[in-house]
Amino acid sequence: MRLYTLTALLGLLSLFFQPAPAAAQSSTSPAAAVVAADNLLDVAVSDSSTTYLVFGGPVSLVDVDMAGNYLVKIEANAVFVRAKRKHAPPTPMLIRYGSKYWMGRLVYVNRPVLQLYDFQKDGALSINGKSAPSTGAAPENELALDKEREKKAVVEGKLQTLRKAREEHQAVAVVDNDLVLSLANVRNDKDFTYLRFKVINKTNIDYNVDFTDFQLVENAQKKFLARKKNEARRPLAPSGGGANQVITGRTTGYLTYAIPLYAATERGYLEVTLRELNGARVLVLPVPSRVINRASTI
């Protein structure tokens, strides 16, 4: 059945593109037949986040020329795409939805994408709810705060509000090397999760925060007498908050961050790792998904 489908598609594409005989002999997939097209839409794809394409009918076929470099999943009228590795090469992609076809090109970007490409309105492209041209390069990511000063100002304003809030989650904490890391507050808006952490330094040595790492962990249940089974990790780059903060000895300090909004299952959690600039005192705090999923809006 797969061979018959690809053969039929090759015949259909030849009516539109009419490739030269040599090129036709070298093509091994429908997507390969559209490489020469000049007006393919570039779809931004990352290895740390998922790109969503939604169409006006059920998707029955997705063909990626370099399939080994990308993860693709079909669900009803949507296609989910993620790069398997960093710096995956660009590749054409063909999608059949209903009785229509769509052709584009996957292009790797070295940052979280978090984009929705919506083709439901009369075939016109809408990205993250905004109209966009049907051809040419994909627009900049809305969540890349270095590209959008206004949104950065809004995020920093909400972090400032969170710094004034009363602590609410003292029970979510970890103690190691006479250091205490706990979750003080958490809030959500439509784009970000805002986190405020409390650090108690019970030592006489300053704790200089080099950087804070965030990872969404799913399916973290342990297999009996074995390693964790089917555990998936997804890095979340912080989009706001200070870096290289110092918690001096015998004092208490607070750290605030904004990370891209996500939704986790009941078996998932956010793993927060604090790393020291000139030392090996690493603090790892798991924040249960229910704490973030039920957080108030800001």
Side-chain angles (χ1 to χ4, degrees):
M1 180 61 69
R2 175 67 173 172
L3 179 61
Y4 172 81
T5 301
L6 293 181
T7 302
L9 286 172
L10 283 171
L12 178 62
L13 289 171
S14 66
L15 296 176
F16 293 95
F17 295 98
Q18 297 180 350
Q25 292 176 2
S26 62
S27 296
T28 57
S29 69
V34 301
V35 176
D38 294 329
N39 294 323
L40 295 184
L41 172 70
D42 284 352
V43 175
V45 180
S46 170
D47 65 323
S48 61
S49 59
T50 302
T51 298
Y52 306 90
L53 298 90
V54 181
F55 296 88
V59 176
S60 56
L61 172 71
V62 176
D63 187 87
V64 177
D65 189 32
M66 297 182 181
N69 293 314
Y70 296 91
L71 295 170
V72 179
K73 179 184 177 182
I74 300 173
E75 187 169 322
N77 64 331
V79 177
F80 307 156
V81 185
R82 179 182 290 199
K84 288 185 178 180
R85 61 181 180 86
K86 292 185 179 297
H87 308 298
T91 184
M93 177 174 63
L94 181 144
I95 296 175
R96 182 176 66 196
Y97 63 100
S99 59
K100 299 179 181 180
Y101 291 85
W102 176 90
M103 290 169 287
R105 187 176 66 159
L106 300 179
V107 178
Y108 178 85
V109 292
N110 192 24
R111 52 178 165 79
V113 179
L114 300 176
Q115 276 190 347
L116 169 65
Y117 291 77
D118 189 349
F119 297 92
Q120 297 181 92
K121 297 180 180 179
D122 301 323
L125 173 61
S126 174
I127 301 177
N128 290 335
K130 299 179 179 179
S131 298
S134 58
T135 59
E140 289 290 342
N141 179 14
E142 267 197 345
L143 303 184
L145 294 185
D146 57 336
K147 303 295 182 182
E148 293 200 1
R149 295 183 180 180
E150 290 184 5
K151 180 162 285 189
K152 183 174 182 178
V154 170
V155 169
E156 291 301 333
K158 291 184 178 181
L159 288 175
Q160 185 62 34
T161 300
L162 194 63
R163 295 183 185 107
K164 301 176 182 179
R166 186 171 59 182
E167 295 178 34
E168 300 166 326
H169 298 285
Q170 294 90 340
V172 182
V174 63
V175 181
D176 195 9
N177 294 311
D178 289 327
L179 295 164
V180 181
L181 172 62
S182 63
L183 176 66
N185 307 93
V186 57
R187 297 286 190 277
N188 295 317
D189 66 13
K190 64 183 183 67
D191 291 324
F192 298 97
T193 292
Y194 300 84
L195 300 156
R196 181 177 180 232
F197 299 100
K198 180 179 181 180
V199 182
I200 303 175
N201 186 355
K202 297 181 178 180
T203 73
N204 293 320
I205 302 174
D206 295 351
Y207 190 88
N208 192 345
V209 180
D210 184 16
F211 67 91
T212 306
D213 179 62
F214 299 90
Q215 290 199 46
L216 172 59
V217 183
E218 282 284 3
N219 297 326
Q221 290 182 335
K222 291 184 178 180
K223 187 178 179 182
F224 182 66
L225 296 179
R227 298 177 63 186
K228 292 180 180 179
K229 183 180 179 182
N230 298 327
E231 181 180 282
R233 288 177 171 265
R234 170 186 166 186
L236 295 170
S239 303
N244 296 324
Q245 301 175 69
V246 178
I247 312 300
T248 57
R250 301 294 176 180
T251 65
T252 298
Y254 292 87
L255 311 173
T256 53
Y257 300 94
I259 61 174
L261 182 67
Y262 71 91
T265 67
E266 60 182 9
R267 290 189 292 177
Y269 63 90
L270 178 67
E271 184 177 277
V272 183
T273 304
L274 243 61
R275 301 185 185 277
E276 192 175 16
L277 180 61
N278 297 310
R281 296 177 295 177
V282 178
L283 296 170
V284 181
L285 175 67
V287 181
S289 61
R290 66 178 181 275
V291 174
I292 295 176
N293 292 344
R294 299 174 183 175
S296 302
T297 57
I298 188 171

